[in-house]
Amino acid sequence: MASTSSCLASPATAAAAPRLRVRVTPRAGRVVACSAGGGGGPEAAGLFAGGRKAVGGLACGVLAAWAVASSSSPVIAASQRLPPLSTEPNRCERAFVGNTIGQANGVYDKPLDLRFCDYTNEKTNLKGKSLAAALMSDSKFDGADMSEVVMSKAYAVGASFKGTDFTNAVIDRVNFEKADLQGAIFRNTVLSGSTFDDAKMQDVVFEDTIIGYIDLQKLCTNTSISADSRLELGCR
């Protein structure tokens, strides 16, 4: 049976392979620092939270690519003025198609307005979709399967993601301010440039999460993260 939703009210890349430094944290989490050969520029740092898998250049490459793409285009601020709510009758169902162009830069062929939509327990139609620059504030994704989605420059202020599965997803420059992420699963998820100010993050699962060191420091300031999750992340 088909699922439905409802609406509520250019520098050259260095040829050399990335250099790796591995530091083992108390829970066997691995902090991976990657840098292109030669220069004195900033390093792109990543973290495999709580993971025991081998660390290789692929993870560094993924994180570095998203870091470069996001460096010139930060997260959408909560104070930024948003466009009027779309009057398109089936705007909520457009999430099941996603954006057909654009990922890392949040480019889209048509605005994806998912505000106030309800995708509670949606297990099929969101998986693997590109939700670039989606407006998701005050939407409900509780219990949804959002594995392998690409959320780049999405605006999810005040949205609810309780128990949402983000396994293998790319979460890039998403504003989760005041969102409810209790019990969400970030397994093998790339978290780059996203903000979690005042978000509810009790019992969030961070397993093999790939996150930049600076982003990790900011994430760890969220006091709602449970002790086990903080240990898994390597928060100090």
Side-chain angles (χ1 to χ4, degrees):
M1 181 174 63
S3 298
T4 60
S5 67
S6 61
C7 295
L8 305 178
S10 106
T13 303
R19 296 191 299 269
L20 301 181
R21 290 203 307 271
V22 179
R23 177 168 62 82
V24 179
T25 62
R27 282 281 298 274
R30 294 173 172 83
V31 174
V32 185
C34 312
S35 61
E43 294 181 333
L47 177 130
F48 279 81
R52 296 179 179 272
K53 297 180 180 179
V55 176
L58 178 60
C60 288
V62 171
L63 188 65
W66 284 97
V68 170
S70 63
S71 60
S72 61
S73 187
V75 66
I76 301 175
S79 58
Q80 185 168 332
R81 179 174 293 181
L82 300 177
L85 190 68
S86 172
T87 58
E88 184 179 355
N90 297 320
R91 65 180 181 84
C92 292
E93 282 72 23
R94 290 193 60 233
F96 302 152
V97 178
N99 285 319
T100 56
I101 63 173
Q103 290 185 354
N105 292 321
V107 179
Y108 51 85
D109 51 349
K110 188 176 182 180
L112 195 58
D113 193 346
L114 310 180
R115 288 174 288 182
F116 302 101
C117 295
D118 190 350
Y119 304 98
T120 300
N121 293 324
E122 171 55 60
K123 300 296 186 183
T124 304
N125 292 317
L126 294 172
K127 183 176 180 179
K129 296 300 185 293
S130 173
L131 303 178
L135 301 176
M136 310 167 78
S137 53
D138 299 300
S139 296
K140 295 181 68 175
F141 295 85
D142 298 345
D145 184 352
M146 298 185 72
S147 57
E148 302 178 9
V149 301
V150 176
M151 289 172 59
S152 185
K153 293 192 70 178
Y155 184 85
V157 172
S160 184
F161 297 91
K162 291 185 288 187
T164 302
D165 187 356
F166 290 106
T167 297
N168 297 326
V170 175
I171 309 298
D172 174 54
R173 291 164 294 169
V174 176
N175 190 337
F176 285 111
E177 183 176 338
K178 297 181 180 178
D180 192 340
L181 290 153
Q182 296 180 79
I185 301 169
F186 293 102
R187 181 178 293 114
N188 199 42
T189 305
V190 174
L191 285 177
S192 60
S194 298
T195 58
F196 298 87
D197 298 343
D198 298 319
K200 298 177 182 178
M201 304 191 72
Q202 294 90 341
D203 302 317
V204 172
V205 175
F206 296 101
E207 182 181 332
D208 295 325
T209 304
I210 305 169
I211 182 171
Y213 181 67
I214 299 302
D215 292 330
L216 172 64
Q217 290 180 312
K218 293 178 180 179
L219 177 59
C220 288
T221 63
N222 188 306
T223 57
S224 70
I225 299 175
S226 63
D228 286 345
S229 295
R230 296 181 71 83
L231 186 60
E232 192 171 37
L233 278 169
C235 296
R236 296 182 177 180

